[in-house]
Amino acid sequence: MTQTVLDLLHDVMTSPWIYLALFALALLDGFFPVVPAETAVITAGVFAAATGAPDLLPVIAVSALGAFVGDHVSYLIGRGANDRLRNGRRSRRAFVWAERALAERGGLVLVVARYIPGGRTACTLTMGAVAYPRRSFAFFDAVAVLSWAIYSGLIGYVGGAAFENDPIKGLLLGLGIAVTITVIVEVVRHLRRRGAVAEAGTGTGTGTEESLAARLPR
């Protein structure tokens, strides 16, 4: 079974269509976050180290470009879905988080949000909904997608180099590193959120959401 999976992955990764597939997955992931774009980039990085195909630099380039386009699609969706995002039962919490973070950190939040599960899409939608300047959005998004593509590709490459004769183990190592980093980020966010809630409970947080929303660019 393992050999069958390995042969299938090898066929996919050595196909000339792999770069187009990575571009498409990264694009879709920008506004449909259940698409496993990061897993695909990590896998490509593993095989780049273990077998030499595909090439790592094109993997990073097409993944970043696809993510850049996908984030702009999400931004445009946000421009036309402001009320629905704010009032949706599932999206409201993510929208409020992204709105608050955007008010506090500006465009840099887009770079941070790319490494937070669900945060990237919430952030790009929010930036569109509040009409964040398009040129500034493009600049910060370029930094975000390039850092993400390099990060994902290199994690896979490290795994593939560590288990050059066993790409499956290399893939598991790469995915394990990615999951570990995500868990650390989430733990830090949880601890900071608890601290913020405790501070708000003392009375210093009254009207915070309203004042932050008022500071967002319109």
Side-chain angles (χ1 to χ4, degrees):
M1 177 64 74
T2 301
Q3 187 59 44
T4 301
V5 173
L6 184 58
D7 290 343
L8 177 60
L9 285 173
H10 183 268
D11 290 343
V12 170
M13 291 298 156
T14 55
S15 168
W17 295 99
I18 183 60
Y19 302 111
L20 180 60
L22 290 171
F23 173 86
L25 288 171
L27 188 157
L28 290 172
D29 190 43
F31 54 91
F32 193 58
V34 298
V35 175
E38 184 170 308
T39 300
V41 179
I42 291 174
T43 304
V46 169
F47 277 82
T51 68
D55 292 330
L56 183 62
L57 289 181
V59 164
I60 291 172
V62 299
S63 300
L65 182 59
F68 185 80
V69 175
D71 285 352
H72 277 71
V73 172
S74 181
Y75 176 92
L76 292 175
I77 292 172
R79 289 294 292 265
N82 191 331
D83 291 338
R84 189 162 66 245
L85 288 171
R86 286 181 182 276
N87 300 321
R89 186 170 61 183
R90 293 185 177 181
S91 62
R92 187 176 183 279
R93 173 183 283 185
F95 190 95
V96 169
W97 169 83
E99 192 174 54
R100 181 186 297 115
L102 179 57
E104 292 175 346
R105 301 179 181 86
L108 284 174
V109 72
L110 189 57
V111 180
V112 177
R114 180 148 286 274
Y115 300 92
I116 298 173
R120 174 182 67 256
T121 305
C123 188
T124 52
L125 287 170
T126 302
M127 294 176 95
V130 302
Y132 191 82
R134 185 81 61 86
R135 183 173 297 180
S136 295
F137 175 83
F139 170 77
F140 285 108
D141 193 49
V143 175
V145 299
L146 187 57
S147 68
W148 167 80
I150 293 173
Y151 156 82
S152 301
L154 288 182
I155 282 179
Y157 196 87
V158 168
F163 294 98
E164 200 168 333
N165 297 320
D166 194 342
I168 295 296
K169 289 183 179 179
L171 177 57
L172 292 175
L173 175 60
L175 294 175
I177 294 173
V179 170
T180 300
I181 292 173
T182 299
V183 169
I184 292 172
V185 170
E186 285 298 289
V187 169
V188 171
R189 285 184 62 232
H190 176 71
L191 293 175
R192 292 187 64 183
R193 185 164 58 243
R194 285 183 60 184
V197 170
E199 182 180 344
T202 65
T204 59
T206 305
T208 299
E209 286 189 16
E210 289 78 2
S211 62
L212 288 172
R215 291 159 52 195
L216 288 167
R218 299 285 179 181

